[in-house]
Short mmCIF file of all heavy atoms in Angstrom, two decimals:
data_model
loop_
_atom_site.label_atom_id
_atom_site.label_comp_id
_atom_site.label_asym_id
_atom_site.label_seq_id
_atom_site.Cartn_x
_atom_site.Cartn_y
_atom_site.Cartn_z
N ARG J 1803 14.12 2.64 17.70
CA ARG J 1803 13.17 3.28 16.79
C ARG J 1803 13.46 2.89 15.35
O ARG J 1803 14.61 2.64 14.99
CB ARG J 1803 13.31 4.80 16.89
CG ARG J 1803 12.73 5.36 18.14
CD ARG J 1803 11.26 5.54 17.93
NE ARG J 1803 10.59 5.82 19.17
CZ ARG J 1803 10.31 7.04 19.59
NH1 ARG J 1803 10.67 8.07 18.89
NH2 ARG J 1803 9.65 7.21 20.69
N ALA J 1804 12.42 2.94 14.55
CA ALA J 1804 12.57 2.78 13.10
C ALA J 1804 13.43 1.60 12.70
O ALA J 1804 14.36 1.70 11.92
CB ALA J 1804 13.11 4.08 12.49
N GLY J 1805 13.15 0.47 13.31
CA GLY J 1805 13.82 -0.76 12.90
C GLY J 1805 15.22 -0.95 13.46
O GLY J 1805 15.83 -1.99 13.28
N ALA J 1806 15.75 0.07 14.16
CA ALA J 1806 17.10 -0.07 14.71
C ALA J 1806 17.06 -0.93 15.97
O ALA J 1806 16.01 -1.08 16.58
CB ALA J 1806 17.66 1.30 15.04
N GLU J 1807 18.20 -1.46 16.33
CA GLU J 1807 18.26 -2.23 17.58
C GLU J 1807 18.56 -1.30 18.73
O GLU J 1807 19.19 -0.26 18.56
CB GLU J 1807 19.35 -3.29 17.48
CG GLU J 1807 18.97 -4.42 16.56
CD GLU J 1807 19.62 -5.72 16.98
OE1 GLU J 1807 20.60 -5.67 17.73
OE2 GLU J 1807 19.11 -6.77 16.56
N GLY J 1808 18.12 -1.67 19.90
CA GLY J 1808 18.39 -0.82 21.05
C GLY J 1808 18.74 -1.66 22.26
O GLY J 1808 18.55 -2.87 22.27
N VAL J 1809 19.27 -0.99 23.26
CA VAL J 1809 19.67 -1.66 24.49
C VAL J 1809 18.98 -0.95 25.66
O VAL J 1809 18.98 0.28 25.72
CB VAL J 1809 21.20 -1.59 24.68
CG1 VAL J 1809 21.61 -2.20 26.00
CG2 VAL J 1809 21.92 -2.29 23.53
N ALA J 1810 18.37 -1.73 26.53
CA ALA J 1810 17.77 -1.15 27.74
C ALA J 1810 18.42 -1.80 28.95
O ALA J 1810 18.43 -3.03 29.07
CB ALA J 1810 16.27 -1.39 27.75
N ILE J 1811 18.99 -0.98 29.81
CA ILE J 1811 19.70 -1.49 30.99
C ILE J 1811 19.01 -0.95 32.23
O ILE J 1811 18.79 0.26 32.33
CB ILE J 1811 21.17 -1.00 30.96
CG1 ILE J 1811 21.88 -1.53 29.71
CG2 ILE J 1811 21.90 -1.42 32.22
CD1 ILE J 1811 23.24 -0.89 29.46
N SER J 1812 18.66 -1.82 33.14
CA SER J 1812 17.99 -1.36 34.35
C SER J 1812 18.85 -1.62 35.58
O SER J 1812 19.41 -2.71 35.73
CB SER J 1812 16.65 -2.08 34.53
OG SER J 1812 15.81 -1.81 33.44
N PHE J 1813 18.95 -0.62 36.44
CA PHE J 1813 19.63 -0.77 37.72
C PHE J 1813 18.54 -0.96 38.77
O PHE J 1813 17.69 -0.08 38.93
CB PHE J 1813 20.42 0.49 38.08
CG PHE J 1813 21.51 0.87 37.11
CD1 PHE J 1813 22.15 2.10 37.23
CD2 PHE J 1813 21.93 0.01 36.10
CE1 PHE J 1813 23.16 2.47 36.37
CE2 PHE J 1813 22.94 0.36 35.23
CZ PHE J 1813 23.55 1.60 35.35
N VAL J 1814 18.59 -2.06 39.47
CA VAL J 1814 17.51 -2.34 40.42
C VAL J 1814 18.06 -2.46 41.83
O VAL J 1814 18.87 -3.35 42.13
CB VAL J 1814 16.75 -3.63 40.00
CG1 VAL J 1814 15.68 -3.97 41.02
CG2 VAL J 1814 16.13 -3.44 38.63
N ALA J 1815 17.61 -1.55 42.70
CA ALA J 1815 18.00 -1.59 44.12
C ALA J 1815 17.09 -2.58 44.84
O ALA J 1815 16.02 -2.91 44.33
CB ALA J 1815 17.86 -0.18 44.70
N PRO J 1816 17.52 -3.04 46.03
CA PRO J 1816 16.70 -4.04 46.73
C PRO J 1816 15.23 -3.62 46.88
O PRO J 1816 14.33 -4.43 46.67
CB PRO J 1816 17.38 -4.15 48.10
CG PRO J 1816 18.82 -3.82 47.83
CD PRO J 1816 18.80 -2.79 46.73
N ASP J 1817 14.99 -2.33 47.17
CA ASP J 1817 13.59 -1.94 47.35
C ASP J 1817 12.84 -1.71 46.03
O ASP J 1817 11.70 -1.31 46.02
CB ASP J 1817 13.49 -0.70 48.26
CG ASP J 1817 14.14 0.53 47.64
OD1 ASP J 1817 14.79 0.39 46.57
OD2 ASP J 1817 14.01 1.62 48.21
N GLU J 1818 13.49 -1.97 44.92
CA GLU J 1818 12.80 -1.84 43.62
C GLU J 1818 12.42 -3.20 43.04
O GLU J 1818 11.86 -3.26 41.94
CB GLU J 1818 13.71 -1.12 42.61
CG GLU J 1818 13.95 0.35 42.92
CD GLU J 1818 14.90 0.99 41.92
OE1 GLU J 1818 16.02 0.47 41.75
OE2 GLU J 1818 14.53 2.00 41.32
N LYS J 1819 12.78 -4.27 43.77
CA LYS J 1819 12.56 -5.60 43.19
C LYS J 1819 11.09 -5.88 42.90
O LYS J 1819 10.74 -6.53 41.92
CB LYS J 1819 13.14 -6.68 44.10
CG LYS J 1819 14.65 -6.75 43.99
CD LYS J 1819 15.21 -7.93 44.73
CE LYS J 1819 16.73 -7.94 44.56
NZ LYS J 1819 17.41 -8.79 45.51
N ALA J 1820 10.23 -5.32 43.77
CA ALA J 1820 8.79 -5.55 43.56
C ALA J 1820 8.34 -4.87 42.26
O ALA J 1820 7.51 -5.40 41.52
CB ALA J 1820 8.00 -5.00 44.74
N TYR J 1821 8.90 -3.69 41.99
CA TYR J 1821 8.55 -2.99 40.74
C TYR J 1821 8.98 -3.84 39.54
O TYR J 1821 8.29 -3.92 38.54
CB TYR J 1821 9.25 -1.64 40.63
CG TYR J 1821 8.93 -0.64 41.72
CD1 TYR J 1821 9.87 0.33 42.08
CD2 TYR J 1821 7.72 -0.65 42.39
CE1 TYR J 1821 9.60 1.27 43.07
CE2 TYR J 1821 7.44 0.28 43.38
CZ TYR J 1821 8.39 1.22 43.71
OH TYR J 1821 8.13 2.14 44.68
N LEU J 1822 10.16 -4.44 39.66
CA LEU J 1822 10.67 -5.26 38.56
C LEU J 1822 9.74 -6.43 38.30
O LEU J 1822 9.44 -6.76 37.15
CB LEU J 1822 12.09 -5.75 38.88
CG LEU J 1822 12.72 -6.59 37.78
CD1 LEU J 1822 12.99 -5.77 36.53
CD2 LEU J 1822 14.03 -7.24 38.25
N ARG J 1823 9.26 -7.05 39.38
CA ARG J 1823 8.33 -8.18 39.20
C ARG J 1823 7.08 -7.74 38.46
O ARG J 1823 6.60 -8.40 37.56
CB ARG J 1823 7.97 -8.78 40.57
CG ARG J 1823 9.00 -9.78 41.07
CD ARG J 1823 8.43 -10.61 42.21
NE ARG J 1823 8.13 -9.82 43.39
CZ ARG J 1823 9.03 -9.46 44.30
NH1 ARG J 1823 10.28 -9.84 44.19
NH2 ARG J 1823 8.68 -8.73 45.34
N ASP J 1824 6.57 -6.55 38.83
CA ASP J 1824 5.37 -6.03 38.14
C ASP J 1824 5.65 -5.83 36.66
O ASP J 1824 4.82 -6.15 35.81
CB ASP J 1824 4.96 -4.67 38.73
CG ASP J 1824 4.30 -4.82 40.09
OD1 ASP J 1824 3.96 -5.96 40.45
OD2 ASP J 1824 4.15 -3.79 40.78
N ILE J 1825 6.83 -5.28 36.37
CA ILE J 1825 7.19 -5.01 34.97
C ILE J 1825 7.26 -6.34 34.20
O ILE J 1825 6.72 -6.45 33.09
CB ILE J 1825 8.55 -4.27 34.89
CG1 ILE J 1825 8.38 -2.84 35.41
CG2 ILE J 1825 9.10 -4.27 33.47
CD1 ILE J 1825 9.69 -2.12 35.67
#
Side-chain angles (χ1 to χ4, degrees):
R1803 286 276 168 96
E1807 288 210 341
V1809 176
I1811 299 169
S1812 299
F1813 299 170
V1814 177
D1817 64 353
E1818 291 178 305
K1819 283 188 180 164
Y1821 300 152
L1822 181 67
R1823 276 195 296 278
D1824 285 348
I1825 290 167

